[in-house]
Amino acid sequence: MFSLENRYFRLFPRTGFPMGVETRRGRNGKYGSIHFARPIQGNRVKNRENVRTAALSPRPEECGTVKALRYSDEVLVAAAVCPHPPLLFPELAGEAATELDGLRDACAVAVGGLREAGPEAVLVVGGATRAGAYGPHAAGSLAPWGADVLVGTGQPVLPLSLTAGRWLLDREGMAATAFHAVPFDASEEECARLGARLAEEHDRVALLVMADGSARLTEKSPGYLDPRALPYDAEIVEALGRGEVPELDRGQAEELWVQGRAALRVLAGAGGRLDGRVLYADAPYGVGYFVAALASRASTVP
């Protein structure tokens, strides 16, 4: 079975971390322990003191534009990135269900991290053919994929990505505040607006972002092999390990059959400064699946 693991090691040296993904050296010489600061709406944060100033100072002349950060208890507190293949559901995988046990376990860890962040709202974001917003009781059905299974108890209106998100939350005894579908071909502006709006709706928000990678990684992939697919997915995985989302070209994502681009860019639009950890990155069926747990650093500012 093809695995992205061996291919990733061509790009990133082996470090002993799972999947060899988080490999950048920090200032202390160790891998994966330092996450570099990023600009906050024009105010570049260079050190922890500047972070404190940006978070706590009420005077614009001291900290520039800090709307994205706000106060430390009013930010995106956590995010989890998980894939949404139909075979994630054991009822659809049948005898092959155990092949994705590692993926399901990684998703459980990432989703559990949302609870640990103590959010006021848990919002699920996923790609779909059209935009939609659904309440906490919305359900999804696996009937289109051949299984008479209802996920949730409400009306089965959720697309596959959000159905998978609800299923992952249900497994951890959690509930979503709302579900949001973003079109697969949504523009960068649309994604940014949705992300910013979701972050502003509640004081402490956790996002469960459902996103698949490329389906053109191997000759046996649904879209056959495209040599651009591997570096495209690798860029996403490396960025998530830093707590970031890379710029993702919409046209190229369509060519590479990347269904997670729009949902990931909604996460980018939500703002916040995040630490990231990649828990899984593989392509067991020629489609890139990655799982990442991200937590806000703003809430830890003294």
Side-chain angles (χ1 to χ4, degrees), residues 64-88:
T65 304
V66 297
K67 182 179 180 181
L69 184 58
R70 295 175 290 171
Y71 289 92
S72 60
D73 62 345
E74 296 181 335
V75 295
L76 176 67
V77 295
V81 177
C82 298
H84 52 83
L87 293 182
L88 183 67

Side-chain angles (χ1 to χ4, degrees), residues 126-132 181-187 190-191 261-263:
T129 55
R130 60 184 179 182
V182 57
F184 293 124
D185 61 352
S187 68
E190 290 173 308
C191 296
R261 177 203 64 88

Side-chain angles (χ1 to χ4, degrees), residues 25-150:
R25 286 187 184 274
R27 296 189 182 96
N28 63 359
K30 296 182 179 180
Y31 285 108
S33 56
I34 295 294
H35 296 271
F36 298 97
R38 297 183 290 135
I40 299 179
Q41 302 245 339
N43 178 42
R44 180 168 294 276
V45 177
K46 296 182 179 179
N47 55 46
R48 188 174 180 83
E49 283 302 310
N50 283 353
V51 173
R52 180 172 182 172
T53 299
L56 302 179
S57 173
R59 291 183 291 179
E61 65 270 22
E62 292 186 3
C63 59
T65 304
V66 297
K67 182 179 180 181
L69 184 58
R70 295 175 290 171
Y71 289 92
S72 60
D73 62 345
E74 296 181 335
V75 295
L76 176 67
V77 295
V81 177
C82 298
H84 52 83
L87 293 182
L88 183 67
F89 304 93
E91 296 88 344
L92 294 177
E95 295 181 357
T98 58
E99 294 180 6
L100 291 183
D101 280 349
L103 173 60
R104 297 185 192 97
D105 291 344
C107 289
V109 173
V111 172
L114 303 182
R115 180 198 296 111
E116 295 173 3
E120 293 184 3
V122 177
L123 307 177
V124 185
V125 177
T129 55
R130 60 184 179 182
Y134 310 91
H137 301 297
S141 173
L142 302 185
W145 292 271
D148 187 17
V149 176
L150 184 66

